[in-house]
């Protein structure tokens, strides 16, 4: 759903940029409550993973594809404040280095793909967690499912306010909402599988699952009982964080460097709707023309190589941002 240059007028683009900047500023402060020396590297990995999986377009309808947005996934794994920061880094790297999303539309992309998906995905996740009594994977599925069409509808609202083509908002909203419900199913499956996999090996690294561990109750021979708080998994098994991170980076590199060659080449949901509704021609040329643009297509670079470069950039930048925003409290890894 990366919005290109030219879809929105200057006033709407600038206003969305202000909203995005304010949101990122708030999240930089809020992330201190979610990050420490142990979890900051996890934020870099999550951002890099989202970048890689966003390259893997999957077919959703005749001639249309979709890809992960990732806001709900990021919020559940590293927290909503940190999740917005992860999404902002991903979208910044995509726009600046790969011409994926316009530079004048960067604020719009961060708003609809970062802030909206995180807020909606996290909100639904927390609601379902309360109603379903801690069913993390179910809550992750539903949060991700709802976040995608919500983002599409916010795009439609913004297009009604400041779109550069005279298209009826009802027609755009119906088309965007319909196709992104289908994309949301794919998003939900990817999110649920990913969260479930991390829960299976390192539940302490799933932000949304914190506080779910039940205290250990020791019962004596005389019928007395003593409640003992269980140690955190990281403290109980020191040294396991590095293998997990290295394994995650390895998987991310395989997705970006190998699996990306098999991604669907069909236009994504926004591009297909824009073409069908007649406003795709409003898209302007991107200012990025170097070799990595369009994931290497401009410079004749294999998409897998471009993907690996992108993973490295996102991993470094997101990791640095998370490390700078972290709480300075020392935590044993």
């Amino acid at each position: 759903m990366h919005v290109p240059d030219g879809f929105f007028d200057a006033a709407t683009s600038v206003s969305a940029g202000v909203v995005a900047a304010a949101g990122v500023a708030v999240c930089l402060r809020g992330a201190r409550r979610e990050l420490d020396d142990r979890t900051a590297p996890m934020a870099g990995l999550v951002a890099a993973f989202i970048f890689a999986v966003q390259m893997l377009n999957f077919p959703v309808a005749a001639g249309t594809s979709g890809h992960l947005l990732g806001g709900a996934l990021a919020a559940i794994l590293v927290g909503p404040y940190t999740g917005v920061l992860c999404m902002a880094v991903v979208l910044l790297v995509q726009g600046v280095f790969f011409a994926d999303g316009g530079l004048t539309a960067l604020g719009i992309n961060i708003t609809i793909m970062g802030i909206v998906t995180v807020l909606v995905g996290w909100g639904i996740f927390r609601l379902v967690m309360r109603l379903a009594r801690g069913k993390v994977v179910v809550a992750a599925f539903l949060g991700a499912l709802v976040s995608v069409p919500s983002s599409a509808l916010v795009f439609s609202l913004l297009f009604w306010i400041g779109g550069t083509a005279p298209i009826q908002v009802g027609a755009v909203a119906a088309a965007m909402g319909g196709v992104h419900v289908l994309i949301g199913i794919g998003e939900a499956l990817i999110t649920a599988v990913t969260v479930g996999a991390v829960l299976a090996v390192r539940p302490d690294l799933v932000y949304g699952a914190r506080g779910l561990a039940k205290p250990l109750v020791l019962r004596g021979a005389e019928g007395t009982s003593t409640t003992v708080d269980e140690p955190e998994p990281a403290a109980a098994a020191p040294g396991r964080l590095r293998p997990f991170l290295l394994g995650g980076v390895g998987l991310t590199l395989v997705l970006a460097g190998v699996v990306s060659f098999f991604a669907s080449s069909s236009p994504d949901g926004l591009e297909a709707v824009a073409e069908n509704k007649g406003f795709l021609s409003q898209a302007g040329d991107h200012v990025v023309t170097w070799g990595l643009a369009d994931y290497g297509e401009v410079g004749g670079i294999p998409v897998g190589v471009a993907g690996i470069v992108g993973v490295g950039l996102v991993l470094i930048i997101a990791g640095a941002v998370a490390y700078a925003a972290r709480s300075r409290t020392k935590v044993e890894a």
Side-chain angles (χ1 to χ4, degrees):
M1 198 195 296
H2 295 77
V3 178
D5 295 315
F7 273 18
F8 290 91
D9 60 28
T12 305
S13 297
V14 171
S15 298
V18 172
V19 171
V24 169
V26 170
C27 291
L28 281 169
R29 294 181 61 86
R32 294 181 182 180
R33 300 195 292 269
E34 300 169 347
L35 295 169
D36 52 42
D37 288 341
R38 180 172 61 89
T39 57
M42 181 69 176
L45 174 58
V46 168
F49 180 81
I50 289 172
F51 174 89
V53 180
Q54 280 195 6
M55 296 178 64
L56 310 180
N57 283 50
F58 49 85
V60 295
T64 306
S65 71
H67 62 74
L68 179 80
L69 298 187
L73 176 62
I76 294 165
L77 290 180
V78 293
Y81 291 109
T82 308
V84 170
L85 299 181
C86 289
M87 294 300 299
V89 170
V90 170
L91 293 165
L92 177 65
V93 169
Q94 289 171 331
V96 172
F97 293 95
F98 297 93
D100 194 3
L103 295 183
T104 63
L106 181 60
I108 290 173
N109 283 320
I110 292 176
T111 299
I112 65 174
M113 293 179 63
I115 297 175
V116 171
T117 57
V118 167
L119 287 177
V120 174
W122 179 250
I124 296 296
F125 173 81
R126 295 300 300 165
L127 176 62
V128 176
M129 284 284 285
R130 293 190 184 98
L131 298 177
R133 299 180 180 180
K135 300 293 184 181
V136 179
V137 174
V138 173
F141 181 93
L142 294 175
L145 176 66
V146 178
S147 71
V148 176
S150 298
S151 178
L153 293 178
V154 173
F155 167 87
S156 302
L157 175 63
L158 291 175
F159 197 81
W160 174 62
I161 294 172
T164 55
I167 308 297
Q168 291 185 351
V169 64
V172 174
M176 286 290 290
V179 71
H180 283 90
V181 165
L182 299 177
I183 296 173
I185 296 173
E187 175 107 4
L189 290 171
I190 295 170
T191 301
V193 169
T194 304
V195 171
V198 179
L199 275 174
V201 294
R202 287 301 300 260
D204 58 303
L205 294 180
V206 179
Y207 181 86
R210 292 182 182 181
L212 294 181
K214 296 181 179 180
L216 179 65
V217 178
L218 303 178
R219 301 192 181 277
E222 299 178 356
T224 60
S225 61
T226 304
T227 301
V228 180
D229 290 332
E230 291 188 89
E232 289 292 326
R240 292 178 58 196
L241 182 59
R242 182 174 296 178
F244 175 84
L245 294 175
L246 291 177
V249 170
L251 173 62
T252 301
L253 290 173
V254 169
L255 293 174
V258 179
V259 182
S260 60
F261 285 100
F262 303 97
S264 172
S265 60
S266 299
D268 69 8
L270 173 57
E271 186 178 354
V273 170
E275 183 175 4
N276 291 337
K277 298 301 177 183
F279 62 92
L280 183 60
S281 60
Q282 299 297 117
D285 294 332
H286 202 287
V287 298
V288 174
T289 56
W290 47 60
L292 289 174
D294 293 331
Y295 296 93
E297 183 176 343
V298 170
I301 300 172
V303 64
V305 175
I308 289 173
V309 172
V311 165
L313 288 170
V314 172
L315 187 64
I316 293 171
I317 297 172
V321 170
Y323 191 76
R326 80 197 189 286
S327 167
R328 298 307 193 269
T329 303
K330 294 291 185 180
V331 179
E332 182 181 358

